[in-house]
Amino acid sequence: MSSEETNQTKEKLRDLKIKTSNLEPHSTRRRELGKIADEYAERFYDGIQNGKAYNTFDDCIKKKTDLPVPETGVGANEVVDILENEIIPPGLNLASGRHFGYIPGGGIHSAAIADYLAAVTNRYASVYASSPGAVVLESNMVQWLCSIIGYGEGAGGYLSSGGSIANLTAVVAARDDSGCKSESYSRMVVYLSSQTHHCVDRALNIAGLGECVRRKISLDDRYRMQPAELRKAIKLDREKGLIPWMIVASAGSTDTGAVDPLNELADISEQEQLWFHVDAAYGGFFILTEEGKQLLNGIEKSDSAVLDPHKGMFLPYGTGALLVKDVEKLARSHRYEASYMQDARSAAGFYSPADISPELSKHFRALRMWMPLQLHGVSSFRNALQEKLALADYLWSEFREMDEIDVSPKPQLSIFMFRWNPDAENVNELNRQLHKKMVSDGWVFLSTTEIDGNVFLRVAVLSVRTHIEEADELLMTVRRLIKEMKASNNVA
Ligand SMILES: Cc1ncc(COP(=O)(O)O)c(C=O)c1O
């Protein structure tokens, strides 16, 4: 390059540096943007108490949020304005304490701040050689989770984006541990129930096991798998020449909150030499409470377990965990060779998340779990979970006392179902209408389910912001809406 060409190149590079400087703003601009974002966050928090749990929306939402990507940037106020008024309000407010649908969580502030710091510092949380602090933090969190469910030395796991991916990774580890080759997949049998979360079904398909036999074991009157039926099914399958392989138990099923009899299932899996997996994505953290500990007794005997901190620890979405009793089995499923990763192999004595999970580049997830635990202590979480159990009991008792309301059995954890059952022929339709009315009213939010052909409304108490006041609002709203439906002659 001639010196003139070099000068021209340098001139061009200086010009480009100026043009990209807004990607790396100085402190004053950073603080300005931070202030605008923080003020919106405060308005959001302030609005939760008096805002609806659900805001109806129509198809215009697509038009309103389908904004052009600008060639040059627009102002921060304008951007936050779109976020605040167009993007965030429609649909379910998952931060609301009056959200009793699906599985709530809430999203705690300290985890949001941790997320901000994780993004600012942008550690490479999957490889020890790159970010040892972040990797050790994740390892510590995983070890803490292993200890609360009673796994001993040799156990490990990783923080995933959620329960679905964690269950998928468990299925993959169990598949590889079976030693079966693909020609046997159609003879492998997984034992589960009608209460098993659908992500397990999907995980089997994704893991290449679409053809395996899914044996649904019948349930008792509290929606729990019956061990005697499981034993029978395994025996029959062996007689047929099939390959019993894995038991998937629920420790808090999504629909009914049922906890399968883990101890008995663990014994069967040991006798039959099957992989025992516990999906405790919803119910796992209740093990921090005395009642939960008794109910989840036996989880320590499992080969793998899933817990979702974005449910039971009230973290923002994007945090699940897979724990495996023998971490070597997880490592075997995730081994890889890549010359550009040779510097990343460490002799740290434990696995980096990249060695035992599918992700490489990874959000610094552990920080949003570690920081709240440090700031608030485990007792705050234990008390909050205790509160949710007590609120579910309270609500169940109140619904049971209400006229024309049928309730499901007493909640084992914090989920139960109820159904309006007046003297009418179209009870399912009435419950669908009641739910529809509730959704358009929006003050509280419940989801529905159908069990044995009967439509139920589900009450799931797990939002960090649900307290006695919100529970009473739910009761009042249901009473009010039923009264309105009766007044408008919707009921025969
Ligand atoms: C029992 C259970 N397992 C798995 C999942 C899936 O978890 P995620 O939504 O985090 O992927 C859920 C979600 O509600 C669940 O309740």
Side-chain angles (χ1 to χ4, degrees):
M1 213 184 251
S2 69
S3 65
E4 193 184 337
E5 281 170 337
T6 305
N7 285 341
Q8 276 173 0
T9 300
K10 284 191 169 175
E11 190 56 37
K12 194 172 164 193
L13 288 172
R14 277 188 213 102
D15 181 48
L16 286 171
K17 182 180 171 188
I18 292 164
K19 285 179 175 156
T20 58
S21 62
N22 55 356
L23 295 180
E24 191 46 59
H26 55 72
S27 154
T28 316
R29 297 278 298 154
R30 285 201 300 268
R31 280 166 204 268
E32 271 169 23
L33 181 57
K35 187 164 175 277
I36 291 168
D38 195 45
E39 283 172 359
Y40 165 51
E42 286 307 312
R43 287 196 296 280
F44 179 81
Y45 282 126
D46 288 347
I48 293 174
Q49 186 75 27
N50 296 317
K52 288 183 171 189
Y54 190 90
N55 288 296
T56 47
F57 59 93
D58 52 36
D59 289 342
C60 293
I61 184 69
K62 170 103 178 72
K63 234 182 248 162
K64 281 186 189 166
T65 54
D66 202 5
L67 303 163
V69 176
E71 179 58 27
T72 53
V74 292
N77 280 313
E78 200 179 319
V79 173
V80 170
D81 191 57
I82 295 168
L83 181 68
E84 182 170 2
N85 295 306
E86 313 288 354
I87 297 172
I88 299 299
L92 181 54
N93 184 0
L94 297 123
S96 169
R98 279 174 270 103
H99 164 30
F100 297 91
Y102 311 112
I103 305 285
I108 50 177
H109 175 253
S110 50
I113 296 297
D115 251 10
Y116 170 67
L117 295 177
V120 168
T121 54
N122 202 24
R123 296 299 90 177
Y124 204 67
S126 48
V127 175
Y128 181 83
S130 166
S131 300
V135 168
V136 168
L137 219 57
E138 174 157 334
S139 172
N140 287 350
M141 290 298 93
V142 166
Q143 288 308 318
W144 176 68
L145 291 173
C146 287
S147 74
I148 65 171
I149 69 159
Y151 279 177
E153 220 169 293
Y158 77 103
L159 297 182
S160 65
S161 59
S164 300
I165 298 299
N167 274 307
L168 169 62
T169 339
V171 165
V172 167
R175 178 199 65 193
D176 295 347
D177 187 58
S178 74
C180 289
K181 298 278 178 276
S182 56
E183 58 267 24
S184 311
Y185 286 179
S186 61
R187 288 192 299 125
M188 290 168 77
V189 190
V190 55
Y191 299 90
L192 26 77
S193 84
S194 58
Q195 285 287 307
T196 309
H197 193 274
H198 74 272
C199 74
V200 173
D201 195 42
R202 203 156 50 152
L204 291 164
N205 295 337
I206 301 170
L209 293 158
E211 292 167 85
C212 79
V213 182
R214 289 146 223 234
R215 191 76 69 216
K216 288 193 177 164
I217 303 303
S218 50
L219 305 172
D220 65 13
D221 57 359
R222 297 187 76 188
Y223 310 107
R224 298 171 299 195
M225 220 191 263
Q226 300 195 62
E229 295 298 315
L230 174 63
R231 272 190 203 283
K232 268 192 234 161
I234 295 172
K235 187 165 177 287
L236 276 175
D237 285 334
R238 287 207 198 282
E239 283 165 9
K240 281 188 219 158
L242 298 176
I243 310 170
W245 157 56
M246 182 187 198
I247 301 170
V248 179
S250 302
S253 66
T254 315
D255 235 8
T256 61
V259 180
D260 286 326
L262 303 181
N263 239 326
E264 289 163 88
L265 299 185
D267 289 346
I268 297 174
S269 83
E270 200 190 332
Q271 285 153 17
E272 300 282 350
Q273 296 289 293
L274 310 187
W275 184 284
F276 182 37
H277 175 67
V278 180
D279 180 5
Y282 151 63
F285 281 97
F286 285 104
I287 207 162
L288 293 173
T289 69
E290 238 359 274
E291 298 96 304
K293 203 171 181 165
Q294 283 176 24
L295 211 54
L296 272 76
N297 187 20
I299 194 172
E300 73 285 355
K301 297 184 193 166
S302 62
D303 293 290
S304 54
V306 166
L307 276 80
D308 263 359
H310 66 199
K311 296 184 173 77
M313 276 190 68
F314 322 111
L315 302 190
Y317 290 115
T319 333
L322 171 66
L323 312 175
V324 177
K325 183 169 256 163
D326 178 357
V327 70
E328 296 303 329
K329 296 185 176 176
L330 204 51
R332 251 172 259 144
S333 291
H334 290 92
R335 66 180 187 278
Y336 63 91
E337 293 302 330
S339 52
Y340 48 83
M341 291 299 288
Q342 58 191 333
D343 306 335
R345 300 279 187 196
S346 79
F350 61 90
Y351 289 112
S352 288
D355 301 328
I356 51 173
S357 66
E359 285 176 293
L360 180 55
S361 302
K362 167 173 186 164
H363 177 65
F364 184 7
R365 258 174 220 137
L367 193 57
R368 49 157 61 179
M369 184 171 166
W370 176 82
M371 208 161 133
L373 278 168
Q374 291 295 318
L375 289 171
H376 316 304
V378 185
S379 63
S380 303
F381 293 93
R382 182 179 300 112
N383 290 334
L385 290 163
Q386 196 80 61
E387 181 195 28
K388 307 313 159 199
L389 292 176
L391 283 169
D393 259 358
Y394 166 75
L395 280 168
W396 180 79
S397 307
E398 291 292 309
F399 274 112
R400 196 175 53 155
E401 296 299 313
M402 265 191 219
D403 286 345
E404 301 180 345
I405 294 286
D406 292 344
V407 287
S408 64
K410 191 172 160 59
Q412 292 168 63
L413 293 169
S414 67
I415 295 177
F416 65 94
M417 301 173 298
F418 72 89
R419 131 188 193 92
W420 181 28
N421 194 2
D423 190 12
E425 275 176 12
N426 51 347
V427 172
N428 274 354
E429 187 47 33
L430 283 176
N431 280 280
R432 280 192 202 100
Q433 282 174 21
L434 173 61
H435 181 252
K436 212 167 157 195
K437 214 167 155 48
M438 193 174 284
V439 169
S440 60
D441 178 84
W443 188 242
V444 300
F445 184 83
L446 298 179
S447 49
T448 63
T449 189
E450 204 171 310
I451 304 247
D452 299 332
N454 293 325
V455 173
F456 282 90
L457 285 88
R458 289 173 65 258
V459 180
V461 188
L462 198 62
S463 167
V464 70
R465 301 187 180 93
T466 299
H467 307 291
I468 182 64
E469 292 78 9
E470 286 73 20
D472 283 338
E473 298 261 2
L474 171 62
L475 293 166
M476 281 188 292
T477 306
V478 171
R479 284 193 192 103
R480 169 170 62 81
L481 295 178
I482 289 180
K483 206 168 153 190
E484 283 173 20
M485 281 179 71
K486 283 184 156 182
S488 65
N489 281 335
N490 262 336
V491 185

